[in-house]
Amino acid sequence: VPVIQTMCSPLCRSYTTNTKPLANTLTLIPGGTRGIGLATAKLFARQGSRIVILARDHHRIQHVLQKELDPYVSSFPPASSSSSNSNSNHQSHNQTQDQGHLGFQCDVSNQEAVDQVIKDVTKVGSIDYLITSAGIARDSLLIAHNPQDMENVINTNLMGTMWINKAVAKGMIRRKKGAIINISSVVGIHGNIGQTVYSASKAAIIGFSKSLSKELGSRGVTVNVIAPGYIDTDMTAGVSEERRKDIIARTSLGRFGQPEDVAEAALFLAQSKFITGQVLKVDGGLIL
Ligand code: NDP
């Protein structure tokens, strides 16, 4: 279906040598183009995993594959394969022997697009690790909350996470292996003024992940959650200086988190064999 091919076109690829701890693994990172997802992509790539990132902005995907995942990049596909045309999916099917990182343009809130992109990814390789970092924040007091923003937050953060998990879980069950790490937030546990809907989406991810961990445990698949505190990314770039100082004053470790702090937790959970259904706060001791 052309529309779906357009939404899920493979954009670019790069090449990596795999002699590392995560050699011969494939890691799928929705939201891998910025912030926490990007730091996770870089860390997992350094460990030797083949990375597949999903996001909406295809220019950004290309930038990440060509610049951010350096020094693993050694060549790029011809311009024709980076455009959203009707041959795009066909080209990704023909790349099964390649070991390069991949990027697909995909809006995770669109179930059809997600199903199609996961089909395309699994033709390239089986997914060993899933880290769902795609998310948005649209903050407002509830009584003033724009209904469209409310829907977008739920559709991206919650429905997007569930569509991706649903599509990826099938392959993991079949292979009887895999690790899923869903990104929630400390505000999904503790709540926050101005974040009712965002908190709802993040709290639901916790219940969803705990239940899924019970469904998949007997198949050897782990499902865990990371609940970050305040992390320096585009998402928190708008936090005022005053509020930032207040948050830092309340954080035991006395600083904002860095995306790499969360990436390290994701790597730990991905490699853990006997941890499932857990929520790991990565917040520098903000909320104890
Ligand atoms: P960023 O805004 O830096 O990055 C968000 C990423 O998600 C981008 O790659 C973006 O790409 C992608 N994305 C957003 N919407 C969609 C969509 N509909 N479909 C596909 N991809 C999408 O955010 P962070 O790195 O800060 O956040 C990552 C996750 O961590 C989020 O779930 C966030 O809620 C959570 N979190 C962040 C905290 C923080 O302090 N930063 C604290 C607690 C939790 P594109 O726009 O191109 O689609």
Side-chain angles (χ1 to χ4, degrees), residues 31-37 54-57 106-109 133-136 156-157 183-185 198 202 228-231 233-236:
T33 56
R34 286 190 277 124
I36 291 167
L54 311 181
R56 295 163 302 174
D57 179 349
C106 177
D107 182 339
V108 297
S109 66
S133 198
I136 56 170
T156 303
N157 297 2
I183 308 291
S184 174
S185 165
Y198 179 81
K202 294 298 181 180
Y230 288 86
I231 310 296
T233 69
D234 291 350
M235 189 176 274
T236 52

Side-chain angles (χ1 to χ4, degrees), residues 36 181-190 198 202-203 205-206 224-231 261-262 265-266 269 278-287:
I36 291 167
I181 295 132
N182 291 320
I183 308 291
S184 174
S185 165
V186 289
V187 309
I189 304 170
H190 301 280
Y198 179 81
K202 294 298 181 180
I205 285 173
I206 294 174
N224 289 292
V225 174
I226 295 176
Y230 288 86
I231 310 296
D261 295 323
V262 184
L269 288 173
Q278 300 304 304
V279 182
L280 179 58
K281 279 194 225 173
V282 180
D283 70 349
L286 175 68
I287 301 167

Side-chain angles (χ1 to χ4, degrees), residues 84-100:
S84 299
N85 59 39
S86 59
N87 293 325
S88 297
N89 276 357
H90 178 67
Q91 285 178 331
S92 83
H93 298 169
N94 288 340
Q95 291 167 6
T96 51
Q97 300 309 311
D98 292 343
Q99 290 302 305

Side-chain angles (χ1 to χ4, degrees), residues 9-16 27 29 32-34 38 41-42 45 50-55 57-77 81-82 95 99-105:
S9 57
L11 291 160
C12 203
R13 61 203 162 92
S14 57
Y15 294 87
T16 180
T27 303
I29 310 181
T33 56
R34 286 190 277 124
L38 175 57
K42 285 172 156 179
R50 186 181 190 185
I51 308 298
V52 181
I53 52 175
L54 311 181
D57 179 349
H58 67 94
H59 295 299
R60 183 69 196 159
I61 292 173
Q62 283 178 323
H63 169 82
V64 168
L65 290 172
Q66 293 172 5
K67 304 284 185 203
E68 301 276 358
L69 289 176
D70 262 343
Y72 309 101
V73 176
S74 61
S75 73
F76 307 115
S81 69
S82 64
Q95 291 167 6
Q99 290 302 305
H101 306 306
L102 290 165
F104 289 82
Q105 187 180 25

